[in-house]
Amino acid sequence: MTTIDTDPDTGLDPLEFAVTRNLAAKSAADRDAILANPGFGQSFTDHMVDICWSVRGGWHRPRVSPYGPISLDPAAAVLHYGQEIFEGIKAYRHADGSVHTFRPDQNGRRLQRSARRLALPELPVPYFLQSLRELIAVDGAWVPSGDDQSLYLRPFMFAKEAFLGVRPAHKVAYYLIASPAGAYFKGGVQPVSIWLSEDYSRAGKGGTGAAKTGGNYAASLLPQSEAYENECDQVVFLDQDRNVEELGGMNVVFVYKDGSIVTPQSDSILEGITRDSILQLARDRGHHVEGRNVSLDEWRQGVASGDIVEVFACGTAAVVTPIGVLKGRDFIDEQPTGTLALELREELTDIQYGRAEDKHGWLYRLDA
Ligand code: PLP
Ligand code: COI
């Protein structure tokens, strides 16, 4: 059990996790074989964390257990009405062997915002942070040390009450699992091609677009398949006024020739922590940064006229990836390539991997 003091902001005492070690944990040799080429989201560590919540008992029964199947009643509300949220955050191994994560308070708060939208209970941020530390305490050896590798942490919460009435569940589970990760895209940091979804939306006004909830991703799967059929890596969504929203799992950023940087902002877009960090690094370099509507016309005309000089996507899983092509039903727009996206990517990852000074205090140590 990791010792953490009472949280000074909330006055919450740390949870007492019951730890059950996995007696069938992978051998060091098997683990190393996985870490040599982890891909993304394919393999999982030896343990998982869970915390129960109920209307009557609040947050209770915090556990670290062997990774394995979850037993659910077939009437569990999540299986019927999709009351579910999740997060994505990474643990990075530094050259001295220590393990750090990046702005976890932001993920903890976003999980709370998602919870509010999905009528789920809000996990206190100190419990969220403690869950990350508890998992690293038992599975720290799973944090890879190769270039651009990390341990992808996937916190999630769902309605487990067995009840078919449509109302917020009275019983909920929070879980944390972890998966060693290399590059999200097969080609690494090569520019990606983007398919413009004209027939399908990801989110609507007043909907759940800003929440990290499974339904948004479910809604993106058919258009994402359309993207693959059209030989594109990812899909970009528009809002009802044909403004650019975001990709299936990443935010979009435009760089203009005067050096200003613009990213779509609205209440139907996930507020990306990578994007927020990249934009801060750009501000530190003196770039003017703006969050506002960007219409599809502004994008296409800006590229055609040379006003837009770079377009990139960013998110925890994909980090920062230049966009090379925008493809629609009746057009293919080559995107201009510059150097800013890759410079910002390097600056960000240098901080995450402890190679550069952490001026903004973004790192959080997980293994001490
Ligand atoms: N937009 C969507 C739909 C995402 O799934 C993600 C990834 O989490 C992002 C944006 C980027 O968010 P973040 O940078 O916090 O990972
Ligand atoms: C992340 O970047 O953490 C995400 O959740 C995106 C997902 C498509 C893997």
Side-chain angles (χ1 to χ4, degrees):
M1 151 88 204
T2 316
T3 313
I4 301 176
D5 293 336
T6 299
D7 186 76
D9 297 328
T10 59
L12 282 175
D13 285 334
L15 296 169
E16 291 267 343
F17 280 78
V19 179
T20 308
R21 287 275 178 169
N22 187 347
L23 299 177
K26 293 245 172 359
S27 68
D30 286 352
R31 189 177 60 228
D32 287 349
I34 292 170
L35 297 187
N37 188 13
F40 182 85
Q42 293 165 19
S43 313
F44 299 91
T45 64
D46 295 313
H47 297 88
M48 60 189 189
V49 168
D50 76 308
I51 313 175
C52 296
W53 180 90
S54 65
V55 168
R56 276 212 248 137
W59 293 105
H60 62 278
R61 212 188 62 179
R63 293 186 300 189
V64 177
S65 334
Y67 183 93
I70 296 172
S71 161
L72 272 187
D73 191 293
V78 65
L79 300 176
H80 305 271
Y81 309 128
Q83 198 190 3
E84 185 268 357
I85 56 174
F86 68 98
E87 269 302 320
I89 181 169
K90 284 174 169 173
Y92 307 91
R93 177 148 341 256
H94 287 192
D96 66 0
S98 59
V99 177
H100 302 251
T101 190
F102 186 73
R103 307 187 73 185
D105 52 317
Q106 296 296 315
N107 294 86
R109 286 199 208 124
R110 189 169 67 189
L111 187 70
Q112 292 184 326
R113 293 198 296 278
S114 299
R116 278 201 285 282
R117 182 63 184 84
L118 271 290
L120 283 162
E122 291 177 41
L123 182 73
V125 173
Y127 293 176
F128 175 79
L129 298 178
Q130 203 189 347
S131 72
L132 306 181
R133 296 167 63 103
E134 292 288 339
L135 194 61
I136 293 300
V138 289
D139 280 343
W142 281 91
V143 183
S145 53
D147 283 350
D148 290 330
Q149 291 186 336
S150 59
L151 184 64
Y152 182 78
L153 303 166
R154 173 51 68 86
F156 60 105
M157 192 190 291
F158 59 85
K160 74 168 177 200
E161 182 185 3
F163 178 58
L164 294 183
V166 183
R167 58 138 170 81
H170 291 173
K171 284 188 186 156
V172 168
Y174 165 78
Y175 275 81
L176 170 65
I177 56 173
S179 172
Y184 182 71
F185 291 112
K186 281 201 199 88
V189 201
Q190 295 306 314
V192 290
S193 49
I194 304 296
W195 172 250
L196 175 69
S197 177
E198 301 249 32
D199 297 332
Y200 305 107
S201 315
R202 173 185 178 276
K205 207 170 164 42
T208 57
K212 212 162 163 53
T213 180
N216 293 340
Y217 296 78
S220 78
L221 297 178
L222 180 59
Q224 178 64 46
S225 305
E226 209 177 76
Y228 292 144
E229 279 158 24
N230 287 280
E231 285 155 8
C232 289
D233 301 299
Q234 269 280 324
V235 57
V236 65
F237 293 98
L238 303 178
D239 70 12
Q240 66 278 10
D241 301 318
R242 295 185 70 76
N243 292 311
V244 179
E245 285 191 320
E246 60 186 320
L247 309 189
M250 275 154 263
N251 291 120
V252 183
V253 177
F254 300 92
V255 184
Y256 286 72
K257 74 168 179 242
D258 66 359
S260 60
I261 297 183
V262 178
T263 187
Q265 198 159 35
S266 87
D267 60 9
S268 57
I269 297 174
L270 191 79
E271 293 175 288
I273 296 157
T274 314
R275 175 176 73 163
D276 185 69
S277 311
I278 287 285
L279 296 183
Q280 183 59 52
L281 296 177
R283 265 188 228 104
D284 295 349
R285 290 169 170 231
H287 289 269
H288 171 74
V289 170
E290 223 181 315
R292 62 163 169 84
N293 284 339
V294 178
S295 67
L296 178 66
D297 286 348
E298 177 177 347
W299 180 357
R300 295 198 58 201
Q301 283 161 16
V303 166
S305 70
D307 268 349
I308 292 178
V309 293
E310 238 180 300
V311 189
F312 62 87
C314 55
T316 297
V319 197
V320 174
T321 305
I323 293 180
V325 176
L326 173 67
K327 200 168 168 185
R329 265 201 297 260
D330 50 7
F331 70 87
I332 300 179
D333 289 353
E334 298 289 335
Q335 302 296 300
T337 45
T339 55
L340 188 64
L342 293 182
E343 284 173 33
L344 290 171
R345 179 189 169 106
E346 192 169 311
E347 202 174 328
L348 179 75
T349 52
D350 279 351
I351 296 170
Q352 291 170 331
Y353 287 91
R355 298 185 293 252
E357 191 192 341
D358 175 23
K359 290 197 184 107
H360 294 283
W362 284 337
L363 292 184
Y364 178 87
R365 188 153 181 192
L366 288 174
D367 64 334

PDB file of all heavy atoms in Angstrom, residues 180-201:
ATOM      1  N   PRO A 180       1.041  -1.594 -22.364  1.00  0.00           N
ATOM      2  CA  PRO A 180       2.257  -0.980 -22.904  1.00  0.00           C
ATOM      3  C   PRO A 180       2.023  -0.513 -24.339  1.00  0.00           C
ATOM      4  O   PRO A 180       1.314  -1.175 -25.102  1.00  0.00           O
ATOM      5  CB  PRO A 180       3.291  -2.109 -22.852  1.00  0.00           C
ATOM      6  CG  PRO A 180       2.517  -3.360 -22.651  1.00  0.00           C
ATOM      7  CD  PRO A 180       1.205  -3.014 -22.052  1.00  0.00           C
ATOM      8  N   ALA A 181       2.608   0.639 -24.679  1.00  0.00           N
ATOM      9  CA  ALA A 181       2.286   1.257 -25.979  1.00  0.00           C
ATOM     10  C   ALA A 181       3.525   1.742 -26.707  1.00  0.00           C
ATOM     11  O   ALA A 181       4.433   2.328 -26.113  1.00  0.00           O
ATOM     12  CB  ALA A 181       1.331   2.430 -25.757  1.00  0.00           C
ATOM     13  N   GLY A 182       3.502   1.500 -28.024  1.00  0.00           N
ATOM     14  CA  GLY A 182       4.457   2.130 -28.940  1.00  0.00           C
ATOM     15  C   GLY A 182       3.683   3.157 -29.740  1.00  0.00           C
ATOM     16  O   GLY A 182       2.778   3.808 -29.229  1.00  0.00           O
ATOM     17  N   ALA A 183       3.971   3.273 -31.037  1.00  0.00           N
ATOM     18  CA  ALA A 183       3.296   4.272 -31.874  1.00  0.00           C
ATOM     19  C   ALA A 183       1.831   3.886 -32.070  1.00  0.00           C
ATOM     20  O   ALA A 183       1.507   2.700 -32.230  1.00  0.00           O
ATOM     21  CB  ALA A 183       3.989   4.365 -33.219  1.00  0.00           C
ATOM     22  N   TYR A 184       0.933   4.881 -32.068  1.00  0.00           N
ATOM     23  CA  TYR A 184      -0.492   4.610 -32.283  1.00  0.00           C
ATOM     24  C   TYR A 184      -0.751   4.282 -33.745  1.00  0.00           C
ATOM     25  O   TYR A 184      -1.502   3.374 -34.071  1.00  0.00           O
ATOM     26  CB  TYR A 184      -1.306   5.839 -31.849  1.00  0.00           C
ATOM     27  CG  TYR A 184      -2.791   5.635 -31.981  1.00  0.00           C
ATOM     28  CD1 TYR A 184      -3.462   4.775 -31.127  1.00  0.00           C
ATOM     29  CD2 TYR A 184      -3.514   6.291 -32.962  1.00  0.00           C
ATOM     30  CE1 TYR A 184      -4.826   4.571 -31.252  1.00  0.00           C
ATOM     31  CE2 TYR A 184      -4.879   6.103 -33.088  1.00  0.00           C
ATOM     32  CZ  TYR A 184      -5.532   5.238 -32.235  1.00  0.00           C
ATOM     33  OH  TYR A 184      -6.880   5.048 -32.365  1.00  0.00           O
ATOM     34  N   PHE A 185      -0.136   5.060 -34.640  1.00  0.00           N
ATOM     35  CA  PHE A 185      -0.277   4.786 -36.073  1.00  0.00           C
ATOM     36  C   PHE A 185       0.857   3.865 -36.512  1.00  0.00           C
ATOM     37  O   PHE A 185       1.998   4.030 -36.081  1.00  0.00           O
ATOM     38  CB  PHE A 185      -0.219   6.086 -36.879  1.00  0.00           C
ATOM     39  CG  PHE A 185      -1.427   6.960 -36.666  1.00  0.00           C
ATOM     40  CD1 PHE A 185      -1.316   8.175 -36.010  1.00  0.00           C
ATOM     41  CD2 PHE A 185      -2.673   6.558 -37.116  1.00  0.00           C
ATOM     42  CE1 PHE A 185      -2.425   8.978 -35.811  1.00  0.00           C
ATOM     43  CE2 PHE A 185      -3.794   7.354 -36.925  1.00  0.00           C
ATOM     44  CZ  PHE A 185      -3.669   8.575 -36.272  1.00  0.00           C
ATOM     45  N   LYS A 186       0.512   2.937 -37.414  1.00  0.00           N
ATOM     46  CA  LYS A 186       1.510   1.960 -37.861  1.00  0.00           C
ATOM     47  C   LYS A 186       2.758   2.626 -38.434  1.00  0.00           C
ATOM     48  O   LYS A 186       3.867   2.176 -38.250  1.00  0.00           O
ATOM     49  CB  LYS A 186       0.898   1.030 -38.912  1.00  0.00           C
ATOM     50  CG  LYS A 186       0.038  -0.057 -38.336  1.00  0.00           C
ATOM     51  CD  LYS A 186      -0.108  -1.226 -39.325  1.00  0.00           C
ATOM     52  CE  LYS A 186      -1.315  -2.076 -38.974  1.00  0.00           C
ATOM     53  NZ  LYS A 186      -2.559  -1.594 -39.603  1.00  0.00           N
ATOM     54  N   GLY A 187       2.555   3.754 -39.125  1.00  0.00           N
ATOM     55  CA  GLY A 187       3.693   4.417 -39.777  1.00  0.00           C
ATOM     56  C   GLY A 187       4.519   5.291 -38.852  1.00  0.00           C
ATOM     57  O   GLY A 187       5.392   6.015 -39.312  1.00  0.00           O
ATOM     58  N   GLY A 188       4.231   5.295 -37.539  1.00  0.00           N
ATOM     59  CA  GLY A 188       4.971   6.146 -36.604  1.00  0.00           C
ATOM     60  C   GLY A 188       4.548   7.599 -36.766  1.00  0.00           C
ATOM     61  O   GLY A 188       3.364   7.905 -36.768  1.00  0.00           O
ATOM     62  N   VAL A 189       5.515   8.513 -36.964  1.00  0.00           N
ATOM     63  CA  VAL A 189       5.172   9.943 -37.027  1.00  0.00           C
ATOM     64  C   VAL A 189       4.995  10.414 -38.475  1.00  0.00           C
ATOM     65  O   VAL A 189       5.067  11.598 -38.769  1.00  0.00           O
ATOM     66  CB  VAL A 189       6.233  10.790 -36.290  1.00  0.00           C
ATOM     67  CG1 VAL A 189       5.660  12.148 -35.901  1.00  0.00           C
ATOM     68  CG2 VAL A 189       6.737  10.109 -35.048  1.00  0.00           C
ATOM     69  N   GLN A 190       4.770   9.513 -39.388  1.00  0.00           N
ATOM     70  CA  GLN A 190       4.484   9.909 -40.781  1.00  0.00           C
ATOM     71  C   GLN A 190       3.171  10.691 -40.833  1.00  0.00           C
ATOM     72  O   GLN A 190       2.273  10.426 -40.037  1.00  0.00           O
ATOM     73  CB  GLN A 190       4.318   8.653 -41.654  1.00  0.00           C
ATOM     74  CG  GLN A 190       5.566   7.811 -41.787  1.00  0.00           C
ATOM     75  CD  GLN A 190       6.734   8.637 -42.283  1.00  0.00           C
ATOM     76  OE1 GLN A 190       6.609   9.398 -43.229  1.00  0.00           O
ATOM     77  NE2 GLN A 190       7.866   8.529 -41.601  1.00  0.00           N
ATOM     78  N   PRO A 191       3.032  11.660 -41.765  1.00  0.00           N
ATOM     79  CA  PRO A 191       1.760  12.370 -41.888  1.00  0.00           C
ATOM     80  C   PRO A 191       0.601  11.394 -42.136  1.00  0.00           C
ATOM     81  O   PRO A 191       0.764  10.408 -42.851  1.00  0.00           O
ATOM     82  CB  PRO A 191       1.978  13.272 -43.106  1.00  0.00           C
ATOM     83  CG  PRO A 191       3.454  13.427 -43.216  1.00  0.00           C
ATOM     84  CD  PRO A 191       4.045  12.147 -42.704  1.00  0.00           C
ATOM     85  N   VAL A 192      -0.539  11.677 -41.517  1.00  0.00           N
ATOM     86  CA  VAL A 192      -1.695  10.787 -41.678  1.00  0.00           C
ATOM     87  C   VAL A 192      -2.684  11.389 -42.680  1.00  0.00           C
ATOM     88  O   VAL A 192      -2.714  12.596 -42.904  1.00  0.00           O
ATOM     89  CB  VAL A 192      -2.404  10.512 -40.333  1.00  0.00           C
ATOM     90  CG1 VAL A 192      -1.553   9.637 -39.445  1.00  0.00           C
ATOM     91  CG2 VAL A 192      -2.793  11.806 -39.618  1.00  0.00           C
ATOM     92  N   SER A 193      -3.497  10.504 -43.249  1.00  0.00           N
ATOM     93  CA  SER A 193      -4.517  10.956 -44.193  1.00  0.00           C
ATOM     94  C   SER A 193      -5.869  10.935 -43.478  1.00  0.00           C
ATOM     95  O   SER A 193      -6.162  10.039 -42.685  1.00  0.00           O
ATOM     96  CB  SER A 193      -4.539  10.023 -45.404  1.00  0.00           C
ATOM     97  OG  SER A 193      -4.577   8.688 -44.956  1.00  0.00           O
ATOM     98  N   ILE A 194      -6.675  11.941 -43.788  1.00  0.00           N
ATOM     99  CA  ILE A 194      -7.921  12.143 -43.053  1.00  0.00           C
ATOM    100  C   ILE A 194      -9.103  12.105 -44.014  1.00  0.00           C
ATOM    101  O   ILE A 194      -9.090  12.780 -45.057  1.00  0.00           O
ATOM    102  CB  ILE A 194      -7.898  13.533 -42.359  1.00  0.00           C
ATOM    103  CG1 ILE A 194      -6.677  13.673 -41.445  1.00  0.00           C
ATOM    104  CG2 ILE A 194      -9.186  13.773 -41.581  1.00  0.00           C
ATOM    105  CD1 ILE A 194      -6.657  12.717 -40.290  1.00  0.00           C
ATOM    106  N   TRP A 195     -10.105  11.345 -43.642  1.00  0.00           N
ATOM    107  CA  TRP A 195     -11.343  11.241 -44.428  1.00  0.00           C
ATOM    108  C   TRP A 195     -12.385  12.191 -43.829  1.00  0.00           C
ATOM    109  O   TRP A 195     -12.613  12.194 -42.618  1.00  0.00           O
ATOM    110  CB  TRP A 195     -11.851   9.798 -44.389  1.00  0.00           C
ATOM    111  CG  TRP A 195     -13.209   9.608 -44.996  1.00  0.00           C
ATOM    112  CD1 TRP A 195     -14.369   9.320 -44.341  1.00  0.00           C
ATOM    113  CD2 TRP A 195     -13.534   9.686 -46.388  1.00  0.00           C
ATOM    114  NE1 TRP A 195     -15.400   9.215 -45.238  1.00  0.00           N
ATOM    115  CE2 TRP A 195     -14.916   9.435 -46.507  1.00  0.00           C
ATOM    116  CE3 TRP A 195     -12.787   9.943 -47.550  1.00  0.00           C
ATOM    117  CZ2 TRP A 195     -15.584   9.432 -47.732  1.00  0.00           C
ATOM    118  CZ3 TRP A 195     -13.449   9.948 -48.773  1.00  0.00           C
ATOM    119  CH2 TRP A 195     -14.822   9.697 -48.856  1.00  0.00           C
ATOM    120  N   LEU A 196     -12.995  12.996 -44.687  1.00  0.00           N
ATOM    121  CA  LEU A 196     -14.019  13.930 -44.231  1.00  0.00           C
ATOM    122  C   LEU A 196     -15.360  13.201 -44.156  1.00  0.00           C
ATOM    123  O   LEU A 196     -15.866  12.722 -45.174  1.00  0.00           O
ATOM    124  CB  LEU A 196     -14.120  15.099 -45.210  1.00  0.00           C
ATOM    125  CG  LEU A 196     -15.250  16.089 -44.916  1.00  0.00           C
ATOM    126  CD1 LEU A 196     -14.965  16.865 -43.642  1.00  0.00           C
ATOM    127  CD2 LEU A 196     -15.434  17.048 -46.091  1.00  0.00           C
ATOM    128  N   SER A 197     -15.917  13.119 -42.943  1.00  0.00           N
ATOM    129  CA  SER A 197     -17.211  12.457 -42.784  1.00  0.00           C
ATOM    130  C   SER A 197     -18.316  13.454 -43.119  1.00  0.00           C
ATOM    131  O   SER A 197     -18.521  14.423 -42.395  1.00  0.00           O
ATOM    132  CB  SER A 197     -17.366  11.960 -41.337  1.00  0.00           C
ATOM    133  OG  SER A 197     -18.632  11.383 -41.176  1.00  0.00           O
ATOM    134  N   GLU A 198     -19.009  13.229 -44.229  1.00  0.00           N
ATOM    135  CA  GLU A 198     -20.076  14.160 -44.641  1.00  0.00           C
ATOM    136  C   GLU A 198     -21.447  13.646 -44.197  1.00  0.00           C
ATOM    137  O   GLU A 198     -22.366  14.413 -44.005  1.00  0.00           O
ATOM    138  CB  GLU A 198     -20.096  14.301 -46.165  1.00  0.00           C
ATOM    139  CG  GLU A 198     -18.788  14.818 -46.730  1.00  0.00           C
ATOM    140  CD  GLU A 198     -18.908  16.217 -47.299  1.00  0.00           C
ATOM    141  OE1 GLU A 198     -19.717  17.017 -46.773  1.00  0.00           O
ATOM    142  OE2 GLU A 198     -18.191  16.499 -48.261  1.00  0.00           O
ATOM    143  N   ASP A 199     -21.560  12.323 -44.065  1.00  0.00           N
ATOM    144  CA  ASP A 199     -22.882  11.743 -43.781  1.00  0.00           C
ATOM    145  C   ASP A 199     -23.141  11.544 -42.296  1.00  0.00           C
ATOM    146  O   ASP A 199     -24.288  11.386 -41.892  1.00  0.00           O
ATOM    147  CB  ASP A 199     -23.010  10.376 -44.471  1.00  0.00           C
ATOM    148  CG  ASP A 199     -22.940  10.509 -45.982  1.00  0.00           C
ATOM    149  OD1 ASP A 199     -23.312  11.579 -46.480  1.00  0.00           O
ATOM    150  OD2 ASP A 199     -22.497   9.545 -46.642  1.00  0.00           O
ATOM    151  N   TYR A 200     -22.085  11.497 -41.512  1.00  0.00           N
ATOM    152  CA  TYR A 200     -22.272  11.159 -40.090  1.00  0.00           C
ATOM    153  C   TYR A 200     -21.653  12.221 -39.193  1.00  0.00           C
ATOM    154  O   TYR A 200     -20.614  12.783 -39.517  1.00  0.00           O
ATOM    155  CB  TYR A 200     -21.598   9.814 -39.768  1.00  0.00           C
ATOM    156  CG  TYR A 200     -22.062   8.699 -40.659  1.00  0.00           C
ATOM    157  CD1 TYR A 200     -21.236   8.196 -41.663  1.00  0.00           C
ATOM    158  CD2 TYR A 200     -23.329   8.147 -40.508  1.00  0.00           C
ATOM    159  CE1 TYR A 200     -21.659   7.172 -42.491  1.00  0.00           C
ATOM    160  CE2 TYR A 200     -23.762   7.121 -41.335  1.00  0.00           C
ATOM    161  CZ  TYR A 200     -22.922   6.642 -42.323  1.00  0.00           C
ATOM    162  OH  TYR A 200     -23.343   5.629 -43.142  1.00  0.00           O
ATOM    163  N   SER A 201     -22.317  12.447 -38.036  1.00  0.00           N
ATOM    164  CA  SER A 201     -21.751  13.348 -37.028  1.00  0.00           C
ATOM    165  C   SER A 201     -21.273  12.522 -35.861  1.00  0.00           C
ATOM    166  O   SER A 201     -21.748  11.409 -35.630  1.00  0.00           O
ATOM    167  CB  SER A 201     -22.794  14.312 -36.482  1.00  0.00           C
ATOM    168  OG  SER A 201     -23.537  14.845 -37.513  1.00  0.00           O
TER     169      SER A 201
END
